[in-house]
Amino acid sequence: MNPYESFYHGLVVSKLWLCEELEKYCYLYRPNIKILGSWHNLMAFMLIIRRPSSYSKIDGYDMDIDAINVANQICNTWLEIEEPHVTNHVADVSKLDFSTDINTVYINCSVDQFDNTDWYNTIPIGSLVCIQTTTLPTNHEGWEIKQETKSIEHLLDKYKLDQVYYTGSKQIPYNDTSYTRLMVIGIK
């Protein structure tokens, strides 16, 4: 695994976009953040360096222990010293129960790399959710796309939201493959 891959242009631009949009909904109540499929947890790093006082705590979850080890290095400043604290967990989020978590925002920037949508069922109704994906097909060479999403409408059909606050798409020029990122923010 390349520990620098999470810093590739398309991933950084996508996460900056997410920060800009999500911050509009979080600044008043300092929620806990749970980043599902966090990989190297660059998302936590970016949220904290942009607006550290906007969040109470950030938890990152990924099944890959090597990714979590890199995440702990990237987020080292906030593991125990600075606040808000970041905790990175090796876990399959589809098997966790988040039903008792209140005041929590759920972020998943890689729904296209999940085998299914079971993780979404673990999120309590009434929670603020931010979801990103690509429009790349499942057989795209060099990408781990497991679920194809063709449009915002397709994304909203997969992940039903009671209230939709934001929808958008962003074209990402990426070496030999340009692609579109899709994002939705709303209340489950």
Side-chain angles (χ1 to χ4, degrees), residues 75-139:
C75 297
N76 177 271
T77 299
W78 300 276
L79 294 179
E80 296 178 6
I81 302 165
E82 297 291 327
E83 291 192 10
H85 290 306
V86 174
T87 306
N88 295 301
H89 309 270
V90 177
D92 179 348
V93 296
S94 296
K95 296 181 176 151
L96 297 179
D97 180 10
F98 297 119
S99 63
T100 60
D101 293 343
I102 58 170
N103 192 35
T104 301
V105 174
Y106 295 87
I107 299 171
N108 189 331
C109 297
S110 55
V111 299
D112 50 359
Q113 296 177 16
F114 278 65
D115 290 323
N116 53 53
T117 59
D118 291 349
W119 63 272
Y120 191 69
N121 299 330
T122 70
I123 295 174
I125 291 174
S127 298
L128 184 64
V129 178
C130 181
I131 299 170
Q132 278 191 347
T133 191
T134 69
T135 57
L136 292 170
T138 54
N139 60 354

Side-chain angles (χ1 to χ4, degrees), residues 128-185:
L128 184 64
V129 178
C130 181
I131 299 170
Q132 278 191 347
T133 191
T134 69
T135 57
L136 292 170
T138 54
N139 60 354
H140 193 79
E141 186 178 333
W143 293 70
E144 296 179 27
I145 307 299
K146 297 178 181 177
Q147 292 189 65
E148 188 172 339
T149 305
K150 298 177 188 230
S151 65
I152 289 288
E153 294 75 26
H154 188 205
L155 186 61
L156 288 170
D157 189 50
K158 279 189 202 178
Y159 303 101
K160 305 286 188 209
L161 295 173
D162 185 52
Q163 298 173 47
V164 177
Y165 293 159
Y166 176 85
T167 63
S169 62
K170 188 175 214 43
Q171 190 66 30
I172 306 292
Y174 191 76
N175 298 332
D176 59 341
T177 303
S178 291
Y179 62 92
T180 303
R181 290 287 288 179
L182 304 174
M183 181 166 64
V184 297
I185 299 174

Side-chain angles (χ1 to χ4, degrees), residues 33-74:
I33 304 287
K34 294 200 183 287
I35 302 168
L36 313 180
S38 61
W39 197 24
H40 297 147
N41 215 355
L42 185 59
M43 186 80 252
F45 180 84
M46 293 172 86
L47 288 167
I48 287 175
I49 62 170
R50 288 175 57 87
R51 297 193 184 209
S53 62
S54 293
Y55 313 103
S56 294
K57 182 179 187 309
I58 300 177
D59 288 289
Y61 298 87
D62 202 282
M63 296 188 326
D64 183 343
I65 191 162
D66 293 330
I68 292 299
N69 289 335
V70 172
N72 285 334
Q73 292 173 0
I74 289 172

